[in-house]
Amino acid sequence: MQTFQVYEQGSTVPEKSYNRGDWQRGYESLEKEFDYWIDDVEGEIPQELQGTLFRNGPGLLDIKGQRIHHPFDGDGMISRITFSNGRAHFRNRFVRTQEYLEEQKAGKILYRGVFGTQKPGGWLANALNFKLKNIANTNVIYWGGKLLALWEAAEPYRLEPYTLETLGKEYFNGVLSEGEAFSAHPRVDFSCAQDNGAPSLVNFSIKPGLSTTITIFELNTEGKIVRQHAHSVPGFAFIHDFAITPNYCIFFQNPVTFNPIPFVLGMRGAGECIKFQPEQPTRLIIISRNPKQKGVKIIETRAGFVFHHVNAIEREDEIVIDSLCYESLPEVQPESDFRQVDFDALKPGQLWRFHLNLKDETVHRELLVSRCCEFPTLHPQKVGRPYRYLYMGGAHAESGNAPLQAFMKVDLESGKQQLWSAAPHGFASEPIFVPRTPHIPASQGGTKGGEDDGWVLALVYDSEYHRSDVVILDAKDFHKEPIARLHLKHHVPYGLHGSFTSECFV
Ligand code: CO
């Protein structure tokens, strides 16, 4: 195994890099919707940085004072940061789902959430009530001329990219049916062989049950679903993300069981009825992207619990996949308050590499990064292909579990890591890598100026001023101070995922 050397910037952070009270304030609701040019800027926004960063995440952590049980149950709010000619513009808007509108009008919680939010009135008010809220809060993508807010358990919501107005649910010309799932973790194959080298957006849906149906969707650049194929795998599956290569989709079926009874009785959210089974293996499910290839390959291994994958590549008889693994599922407890989480009592997510041998159906794994980390990202043209650099959120301290306060760059070739930390007052989120020179086709060499020639963009919550910053890091060197730090006029509650498009919406 490689040994990884960590280089840290000099810092004056006290022994514990954060204060839980500071961290908690990043989970205050942001009710107001803003629309302004960002004037308070430290450093300089690069002129070459042109395009739009979209972010999604729970904007409301309460409905008029009634607290929701878990951030994953919070109404989706889109933040949009547009970079144009050395300036940046901010806008945020809630996704006006049917349920958001109803609850805002009523001024109270009307729907149960998957992660334990219950209607007031105890279990009697919730029993046998299976009407969950489509909260559209997990990711936002711009694809085929459509801006889509994604939530894995139902259809996407389409938004107008200039105004962020909600246009309605998206069914892709009737390919999706009412309420059909469409995951929040699509992957873009920059040069899809099945489409003569044109980009393809690959996504999936999970239909749980005693056996699970996994459906693969591939969309062309016009946003049309051009390939769709469904596969059945044994057992219940809780799958949030997947990875792709030019030929395969790879899923990790985490070792969990689902007991619906407390949910049916109105005592727990559906997500709280999932139980991690540490003695059971993880099943790695490999599905061909070619719809004519029937059947799935399943290989068992020990992998703990996985929410997110970084990337996968094909190498001779192997698929190599890099994933963030937890020793167990961080379970949501019905009586607990997520704000009171004891970080030290939980195991950190760590970066592992899995080698799946397709010939002899064996797996071997190695630990690449032991520091607590989450929200990995990479060069958009390297998805499914050999790659050298990845970026992710990380804890300030090298060991133990803690909130994300830093950004890491990992060089998979040399094993070197770089860290830029916002501790003690700053709290990190998902970073997005933006290449300096986008849109160079793979046939013309793909990247130019090196795989790390570009910027890493991210929102950082600054608890000292109770506001969020848009941070622009030079992807080549995390040891340097950020190229620019854009101070917003307010905070943005900790978000989930987002994406960048080179089109400017303002
Ligand atoms: Co995710």
Side-chain angles (χ1 to χ4, degrees):
M1 200 192 102
Q2 298 143 294
T3 49
F4 282 82
Q5 216 179 332
V6 180
Y7 296 96
E8 282 186 46
Q9 60 181 33
S11 109
T12 50
V13 176
E15 197 184 332
K16 196 153 201 134
S17 66
Y18 66 96
N19 168 304
R20 198 166 63 175
D22 288 348
W23 170 79
Q24 285 168 342
R25 294 185 68 207
Y27 274 126
E28 282 176 18
S29 295
L30 178 70
E31 283 192 15
K32 217 174 147 190
E33 296 179 319
F34 294 86
D35 182 6
Y36 61 92
W37 286 95
I38 305 166
D39 293 324
D40 192 357
V41 177
E42 277 177 63
E44 236 173 275
I45 301 168
Q47 289 280 342
E48 299 159 276
L49 176 57
Q50 298 276 336
T52 309
L53 175 68
F54 290 105
R55 305 282 319 150
N56 197 354
L60 292 181
L61 287 305
D62 68 280
I63 309 293
K64 309 287 175 197
Q66 287 180 1
R67 278 189 175 187
I68 60 166
H69 188 67
H70 193 277
F72 292 173
D73 284 342
D75 287 296
M77 184 193 79
I78 308 299
S79 297
R80 184 192 71 195
I81 299 108
T82 309
F83 300 93
S84 172
N85 303 318
R87 296 191 71 198
H89 180 274
F90 179 88
R91 182 160 204 170
N92 71 309
R93 222 159 166 188
F94 281 91
V95 185
R96 271 129 173 106
T97 63
Q98 188 61 38
E99 297 88 342
Y100 167 86
L101 293 169
E102 287 173 19
E103 289 192 329
Q104 288 303 305
K105 200 172 163 206
K108 61 180 183 185
I109 294 172
L110 300 175
Y111 291 90
R112 300 177 75 187
V114 173
F115 290 89
T117 301
Q118 303 277 40
K119 297 195 289 176
W123 67 272
L124 257 180
N126 292 280
L128 302 175
N129 183 333
F130 307 126
K131 233 186 142 230
L132 296 172
K133 192 172 166 183
N134 178 347
I135 43 179
N137 74 354
T138 313
N139 200 350
V140 53
I141 56 165
Y142 184 71
W143 183 261
K146 291 172 184 169
L147 183 65
L148 302 172
L150 305 177
W151 181 61
E152 67 194 24
E155 62 273 70
Y157 266 87
R158 185 172 171 190
L159 311 166
E160 208 292 314
Y162 286 95
T163 61
L164 298 183
E165 186 189 336
T166 301
L167 300 173
K169 290 177 184 171
E170 176 65 32
Y171 295 100
F172 303 103
N173 290 319
V175 177
L176 289 192
S177 50
E178 175 85 38
E180 191 175 345
F182 192 73
S183 116
H185 273 287
R187 303 261 171 182
V188 176
D189 178 349
F190 181 67
S191 176
C192 174
Q194 292 186 83
D195 295 333
N196 301 314
S200 173
L201 182 127
V202 189
N203 201 8
F204 67 95
S205 75
I206 298 291
K207 199 173 169 195
L210 292 176
S211 68
T212 298
T213 305
I214 301 176
T215 304
I216 311 285
F217 304 97
E218 300 215 11
L219 284 72
N220 66 9
T221 49
E222 271 92 64
K224 254 174 87 179
I225 295 178
V226 289
R227 285 178 289 281
Q228 180 187 4
H229 42 114
H231 305 264
S232 182
V233 295
F236 172 80
F238 177 58
I239 297 173
H240 173 70
D241 190 11
F242 76 143
I244 63 165
T245 66
N247 292 299
Y248 302 103
C249 295
I250 305 107
F251 298 86
F252 279 32
Q253 187 179 9
N254 292 304
V256 295
T257 50
F258 178 68
N259 170 13
I261 292 164
F263 171 63
V264 172
L265 293 179
M267 296 155 86
R268 284 174 170 231
E272 295 170 310
C273 299
I274 293 171
K275 212 149 179 60
F276 186 69
Q277 304 295 331
E279 301 311 313
Q280 300 290 317
T282 295
R283 292 200 197 113
L284 312 189
I285 300 163
I286 301 140
I287 300 177
S288 171
R289 284 177 57 194
N290 181 347
K292 291 188 193 120
Q293 298 267 332
K294 305 284 175 215
V296 303
K297 195 186 260 301
I298 296 177
I299 307 179
E300 294 190 347
T301 189
R302 296 262 161 199
F305 192 90
V306 174
F307 281 112
H308 295 127
H309 303 287
V310 189
N311 200 18
I313 58 175
E314 293 174 25
R315 196 189 270 168
E316 290 160 17
D317 294 330
E318 269 187 356
I319 294 175
V320 176
I321 175 162
D322 295 334
S323 312
L324 295 181
C325 304
Y326 295 82
E327 228 167 77
S328 68
L329 167 70
E331 283 171 25
V332 184
Q333 299 298 332
E335 303 305 329
S336 68
D337 179 352
F338 73 87
R339 292 171 182 82
Q340 303 303 330
V341 61
D342 178 3
F343 284 98
D344 297 324
L346 297 170
K347 295 282 185 216
Q350 296 173 315
L351 177 67
W352 288 80
R353 172 162 283 192
F354 296 85
H355 298 262
L356 285 61
N357 190 309
L358 297 179
K359 239 187 187 164
D360 61 20
E361 305 203 348
T362 55
V363 180
H364 88 260
R365 61 176 195 170
E366 53 181 327
L367 180 65
L368 298 186
V369 174
S370 60
R371 182 189 298 263
C372 167
C373 52
E374 248 304 347
F375 294 129
T377 189
L378 71 153
H379 192 298
Q381 293 170 19
K382 296 292 179 183
V383 172
R385 295 184 163 73
Y387 74 124
R388 179 168 176 183
Y389 299 109
L390 66 93
Y391 312 90
M392 54 192 176
H396 177 82
E398 206 181 329
S399 62
N401 183 51
L404 304 178
Q405 292 190 283
F407 298 105
M408 295 174 76
K409 176 188 180 185
V410 181
D411 180 342
L412 295 163
E413 240 166 59
S414 70
K416 281 184 185 159
Q417 299 175 28
Q418 292 184 343
L419 188 89
W420 179 80
S421 175
H425 299 295
F427 295 90
S429 60
E430 177 190 62
I432 300 278
F433 173 79
V434 179
R436 191 184 304 273
T437 44
H439 300 313
I440 297 174
S443 56
Q444 291 168 31
T447 52
K448 198 179 161 187
E451 195 187 312
D452 59 351
D453 187 22
W455 306 279
V456 168
L457 310 179
L459 281 170
V460 172
Y461 170 63
D462 183 349
S463 61
E464 196 175 9
Y465 298 94
H466 189 48
R467 69 179 178 199
S468 295
D469 290 347
V470 181
V471 171
I472 305 173
L473 293 169
D474 181 348
K476 277 202 183 288
D477 191 357
F478 274 27
H479 292 151
K480 283 199 286 199
E481 277 306 295
I483 294 175
R485 240 182 131 133
L486 290 55
H487 304 301
L488 301 182
K489 295 175 193 281
H490 47 81
H491 82 299
V492 174
Y494 301 122
L496 294 166
H497 301 291
S499 58
F500 185 86
T501 168
S502 55
E503 288 195 44
C504 283
F505 296 109
V506 66

